[in-house]
Amino acid sequence: MPYYSFDLVIDDEQKNQGGLFLESLKVASERADQLAAELAIVRPELKAKGCAIRVTGPENTEVYRTLLDPIPPWMRHLR
């Protein structure tokens, strides 16, 4: 099983949120989406900053990224 690391990305800074051995990239991306949703609730101020959860895979390269607020700021007024 590959090891995936999860980072909170704030501007150009990455803060390690831990890592897990997971079956596949699909499972890692689902976990990243869940972590982003949880952080958006616990730390709502991060949503306005365009923060994201970055997943790096076994080769230490980024394999997935999800925003804490999936709606871009320029689209919010269209709702």
Side-chain angles (χ1 to χ4, degrees):
M1 268 195 268
Y3 184 81
Y4 294 95
S5 295
F6 299 85
D7 300 315
L8 172 61
V9 179
I10 303 173
D11 297 321
D12 291 331
E13 183 181 354
Q14 284 120 27
K15 297 183 177 189
N16 187 302
Q17 301 298 300
L20 297 167
F21 287 99
L22 297 169
E23 297 171 357
S24 65
L25 176 56
K26 181 179 186 290
V27 176
S29 63
E30 290 170 355
R31 180 62 190 118
D33 291 339
Q34 181 183 17
L35 180 57
E38 291 169 3
L39 280 171
I41 292 168
V42 176
R43 305 234 357 240
E45 71 277 7
L46 295 176
K47 291 179 5 179
K49 294 182 178 182
C51 296
I53 297 296
R54 179 180 82 133
V55 181
T56 54
E59 303 295 320
N60 203 26
T61 58
E62 184 173 325
V63 293
Y64 185 77
R65 183 179 289 233
T66 186
L67 296 172
L68 267 61
D69 186 2
I71 300 171
W74 59 270
M75 286 189 70
R76 288 192 191 118
H77 72 283
L78 299 175
R79 291 173 102 189

